[in-house]
């Protein structure tokens, strides 16, 4: 995309889980770059090491070989402040109202409360939850809870958003809707997003690139730039190009 | 909604009234001897008897229950917290506590009396020892039960151990604490009374033994009623506290 150094640089990343006497190679030879502001979909069968890779990116797990570099000369990276995470479950705190849930990272980082509240309000209206900011999580639908989780991931204005199958627990219709919204959020916020999914069409629809992993142990099968129009509408899903990308990923995953 | 709630409570009260009515009818129509079973009215009348010193005795019993119970909550929560902060402490202390808990607390009563003499204190200690374990167990479990992904979220922000504890673990453990406190409240009442049976010179349990000698069954009934009321009050207090502190969704477990 640019001539600049990449924002995320992964070379031959390897991860081995060790248990007493057994070793399990979870990642082997993962190599790809992510430019600042990109939306990279990471797709692969379940158990292929996607979560493992995301945890390594988040600095939650050490890797056993290769190189992992985050940040560049042009885009500094502070590991404590520049990561926002969204998981498959919303993981909202039951005893906090939506607004207070969104504020959690700001509290942990000790950010000024008044500005954070202001920002939380903006984020909540961006994800369409302005009306329910005073409600408790149990009063929200699954989709709304996941939107709150996305707002929470953005509250401290991180540069990198790591999403681990964030829409995997939602019904198909809500999922479609969330895809459109996430694409919008990405375009307006300019964040770098690494989005893990095992949904192939979701990966193609959202990503500027799709990185395909295969299992046993996870290797990179391909790294596909997605040249679909910037404005992704539902019509794109019926286009020929979209179908071609999907087919390509299916083939890489040995499903054809 | 409100009407439904009202009906719910009214039904609860009604059932109590019906049971008391059946009690009354059973005694009156069955010509039951008062020393076998007094009527509700005869039971109530004992409240006028000055020899019973109801208020003084009830205060003593309530003091034992509340004192022992409060201590159980404090020690239980403190230990659970220590366990959640230090695995080695848990591994070292927990097996011992499990063993200690297997001791029938009633069996310790005579020992406590040797150590602490008669009085409020040994009985409070029995109430404490019997109600503390469920509080410790449930709280420890609640503190342990953190979603691994939530832990990752906090760690990804490089949050401190203290932040994890205050913002995630402790509030998350409150519903567990309260479920332990409810069990503990019932046990504390039993503990204090058993303590009074074993040896004491004051309290409702002591009074029961005194009036038993003269077959004053009505007073024994009244003592049981008062003990129950103290228990209900404590339990209600715990419920109220839970209602105030724990968000509804987290409550029912
Ligand atoms: N802590 C761990 N210890 C041992 N093996 C693990 C651990 N975490 C994950 N694995 C294994 O590594 C593989 C990849 O796991 P994961 O990264 O969760 O896959 P994915 O997210 O793609 O489903 C799986 O086979 C899983 O069983
Ligand atoms: Mg996973």
């Amino acid at each position: 995309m640019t001539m600049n150094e990449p924002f995320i640089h992964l070379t031959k990343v390897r991860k081995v889980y060790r248990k007493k006497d057994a070793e399990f190679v979870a990642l082997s030879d993962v190599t790809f770059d992510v430019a600042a502001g990109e939306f990279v979909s990471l797709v692969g069968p379940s158990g292929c090491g996607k979560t493992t890779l995301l945890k390594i990116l988040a600095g939650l797990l050490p890797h056993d070989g290769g190189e992992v570099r985050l940040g560049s000369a042009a885009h500094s990276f502070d590991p404590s402040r520049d990561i926002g995470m969204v998981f498959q479950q919303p993981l909202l705190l039951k005893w906090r109202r939506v607004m207070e849930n969104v504020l959690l990272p700001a509290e942990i980082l000790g950010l000024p409360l008044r500005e954070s509240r202001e920002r939380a309000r903006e984020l909540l209206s961006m994800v369409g939850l302005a009306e329910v900011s005073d409600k408790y999580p149990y009063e929200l639908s699954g989709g709304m809870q996941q939107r709150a989780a996305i707002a929470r991931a953005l509250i401290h204005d991180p540069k990198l958003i790591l999403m681990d199958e964030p829409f995997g627990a939602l019904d198909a219709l809500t999922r479609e809707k969330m895809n459109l919204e996430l694409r919008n959020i990405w375009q307006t916020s300019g964040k770098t997003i690494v989005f893990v999914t095992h949904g192939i069409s979701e990966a193609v629809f959202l990503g500027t690139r799709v990185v395909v992993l295969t299992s046993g142990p996870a290797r990179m099968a391909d790294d596909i730039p997605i040249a679909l129009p910037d404005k992704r509408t539902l019509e794109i899903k019926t286009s020929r190009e979209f179908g071609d990308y999907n087919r390509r990923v299916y083939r890489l995953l040995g499903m054809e | 909604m409100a009407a439904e709630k009202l009906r719910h409570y009214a039904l609860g009260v009604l059932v109590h009234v019906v049971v008391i009515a059946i009690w009354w009818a059973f005694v009156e129509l069955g010509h039951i001897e008062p020393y076998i079973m007094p009527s509700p009215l005869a039971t109530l009348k004992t409240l006028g008897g000055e020899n019973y010193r109801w208020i003084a005795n009830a205060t003593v019993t309530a003091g034992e229950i509340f004192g022992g119970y409060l201590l159980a909550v404090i020690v239980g929560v403190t230990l659970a917290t220590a366990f959640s902060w230090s695995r080695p402490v848990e591994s070292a202390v927990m097996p011992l506590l499990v063993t200690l808990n297997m001791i029938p607390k009633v069996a310790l009563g005579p020992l406590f009396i040797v150590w602490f003499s008669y009085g409020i204190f040994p009985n409070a200690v029995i109430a404490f020892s019997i109600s503390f374990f469920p509080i410790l167990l449930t709280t420890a479990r609640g503190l342990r039960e953190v979603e691994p992904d939530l832990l990752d979220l906090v760690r990804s922000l490089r949050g401190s151990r203290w932040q994890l504890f205050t913002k995630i673990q402790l509030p998350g453990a409150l519903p567990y604490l309260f479920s332990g406190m409810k069990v503990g409240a019932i046990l504390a009442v039993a503990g204090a009374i058993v303590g009074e049976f074993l040896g004491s010179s004051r309290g409702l349990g002591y009074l029961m033994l005194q009036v038993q000698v003269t077959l004053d069954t009505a007073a024994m009934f009244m003592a049981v009623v008062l003990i129950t009321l103290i228990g209900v009050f404590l339990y209600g207090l715990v419920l109220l506290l839970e209602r105030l502190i724990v968000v509804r969704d987290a409550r029912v477990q």
Side-chain angles (χ1 to χ4, degrees):
Chain A
M1 286 188 84
T2 50
M3 301 279 293
N4 293 337
E5 283 180 85
F7 184 56
I8 300 174
H9 179 71
L10 302 174
T11 327
K12 292 180 181 289
V13 175
R14 184 179 164 77
K15 174 71 196 174
V16 183
Y17 284 115
R18 289 188 181 79
K19 275 196 195 121
K20 280 216 167 114
D21 38 3
E23 286 200 344
F24 179 80
V25 182
L27 292 175
S28 140
D29 246 350
V30 174
T31 302
F32 65 93
D33 289 347
V34 180
E38 250 192 312
F39 191 130
V40 172
S41 297
L42 213 58
V43 67
S46 147
C48 76
K50 305 181 294 294
T51 298
T52 301
L53 184 56
L54 225 52
K55 284 186 178 173
I56 290 173
L57 285 174
L60 297 171
L61 213 57
H63 55 287
D64 299 295
E67 194 190 347
V68 176
R69 212 176 59 222
L70 286 97
S72 63
H75 300 273
S76 66
F77 182 82
D78 175 349
S80 68
R81 297 188 161 227
D82 280 332
I83 292 172
M85 298 194 81
V86 183
F87 304 90
Q88 181 165 2
Q89 300 302 325
L91 296 175
L92 300 178
L93 304 176
K94 291 174 181 174
W95 55 89
R96 286 180 176 230
R97 296 171 195 278
V98 170
M99 168 62 95
E100 273 70 46
N101 260 294
V102 171
L103 283 171
L104 179 73
E107 281 174 28
I108 290 176
L109 292 170
L111 304 180
L113 198 67
R114 225 156 50 93
E115 281 103 280
S116 300
R117 266 186 184 280
E118 195 46 50
R119 189 174 158 72
R121 217 164 282 133
E122 285 164 20
L123 288 170
L124 281 171
S125 56
M126 179 178 81
V127 298
L129 294 181
E131 306 291 303
V132 297
S133 68
D134 280 336
K135 292 211 183 296
Y136 285 102
Y138 75 90
E139 299 173 280
L140 272 55
S141 69
M144 289 162 102
Q145 292 192 24
Q146 201 53 293
R147 285 197 196 104
I150 291 172
R152 178 179 62 189
L154 292 166
I155 184 69
H156 51 299
D157 203 14
K159 292 186 177 136
L160 175 62
I161 311 288
L162 301 173
M163 306 181 99
D164 196 352
E165 301 187 26
F167 308 140
L170 301 179
D171 62 275
L173 223 61
T174 311
R175 189 171 182 156
E176 296 276 340
K177 216 169 143 211
M178 297 293 287
N179 280 343
L180 290 170
E181 285 179 23
L182 179 61
R183 189 62 202 192
N184 278 333
I185 289 170
W186 170 70
Q187 274 174 325
T188 47
S189 67
K191 304 284 180 204
T192 308
I193 296 184
V194 177
F195 181 92
V196 162
T197 177
H198 50 231
I200 291 169
S201 95
E202 181 178 67
V204 171
F205 182 75
L206 285 170
T208 52
R209 262 168 62 214
V210 174
V211 170
V212 184
L213 296 176
T214 54
S215 54
R219 287 171 190 283
M220 294 217 7
D222 207 349
D223 182 348
I224 311 168
I226 305 293
L228 293 170
D230 252 3
K231 176 137 186 60
R232 306 249 165 121
T233 57
L234 288 177
E235 284 86 78
I236 286 182
K237 295 206 173 191
T238 57
S239 73
R240 193 195 152 78
E241 293 88 338
F242 186 76
D244 288 344
Y245 282 124
N246 274 304
R247 213 161 301 126
R248 192 168 155 194
V249 179
Y250 274 115
R251 203 168 296 137
L252 286 163
L253 294 173
M255 299 207 277
E256 218 183 51
Chain B
M1 192 63 185
E4 198 174 303
K5 235 179 194 172
L6 204 66
R7 205 172 313 145
H8 177 77
Y9 287 126
L11 191 67
V13 172
L14 188 70
V15 169
H16 281 79
V17 172
V18 167
V19 167
I20 292 172
I22 291 174
W23 168 18
W24 176 81
F26 176 68
V27 171
E28 289 298 320
L29 304 178
H31 301 290
I32 308 291
E33 295 287 350
Y35 72 89
I36 301 288
M37 188 179 274
S39 75
L41 201 64
T43 301
L44 207 59
K45 271 188 182 155
T46 60
L47 277 181
E50 277 167 28
N51 292 342
Y52 302 125
R53 306 184 60 237
W54 290 116
I55 294 183
N57 282 318
T59 309
V60 167
T61 301
E64 291 163 356
I65 293 170
F66 281 62
Y69 181 66
L70 199 65
L71 195 65
V73 173
I74 293 170
V75 175
V77 171
T78 307
L79 267 178
T81 305
F83 289 173
S84 97
W85 278 75
S86 161
R87 212 53 237 202
V89 169
E90 173 165 12
S91 321
V93 180
M94 199 59 186
L96 176 65
L97 285 175
V98 171
T99 308
L100 288 180
N101 187 49
M102 290 310 289
I103 302 173
K105 256 60 71 180
V106 183
L108 291 178
L111 265 178
F112 287 162
I113 291 167
V114 171
W115 291 337
F116 310 119
S117 160
Y118 283 162
I120 297 183
F121 188 67
N123 296 338
V125 170
I126 293 177
F128 156 79
S129 66
I130 202 169
S131 63
F132 134 90
F133 207 67
I135 295 173
L136 165 68
L137 277 191
T138 53
T139 311
R141 162 131 188 265
L143 290 172
R144 219 180 299 125
E145 216 118 291
V146 181
E147 287 278 350
D149 282 346
L150 208 48
L151 201 69
D152 276 346
L153 180 73
V154 175
R155 284 175 59 214
S156 78
L157 297 159
R158 309 302 182 259
S160 67
R161 184 72 185 76
W162 178 248
Q163 285 174 324
L164 179 71
F165 182 72
T166 54
K167 292 186 192 299
I168 314 277
Q169 281 182 294
L170 196 58
L174 283 179
Y176 293 82
L177 166 63
F178 275 104
S179 76
M181 277 172 69
K182 283 183 222 164
V183 176
I186 294 162
L187 292 175
V189 176
I193 299 305
V194 164
E196 291 185 356
F197 283 170
L198 288 173
S200 63
S201 49
R202 284 183 295 167
L204 293 169
Y206 165 79
L207 181 70
M208 279 185 82
L209 295 186
Q210 295 302 299
V211 296
Q212 186 195 30
V213 180
T214 58
L215 287 183
D216 185 355
T217 314
M220 291 176 72
F221 263 64
M222 197 63 227
V224 171
V225 168
L226 289 180
I227 291 163
T228 307
L229 286 179
I230 293 171
V232 167
F233 179 73
L234 178 61
Y235 199 83
L237 215 60
V238 175
L239 283 185
L240 182 71
L241 212 60
E242 181 185 41
R243 197 157 274 242
L244 291 176
I245 294 178
V246 181
V247 174
R248 201 172 83 194
D249 173 54
R251 230 180 272 153
V252 239
Q253 299 233 355

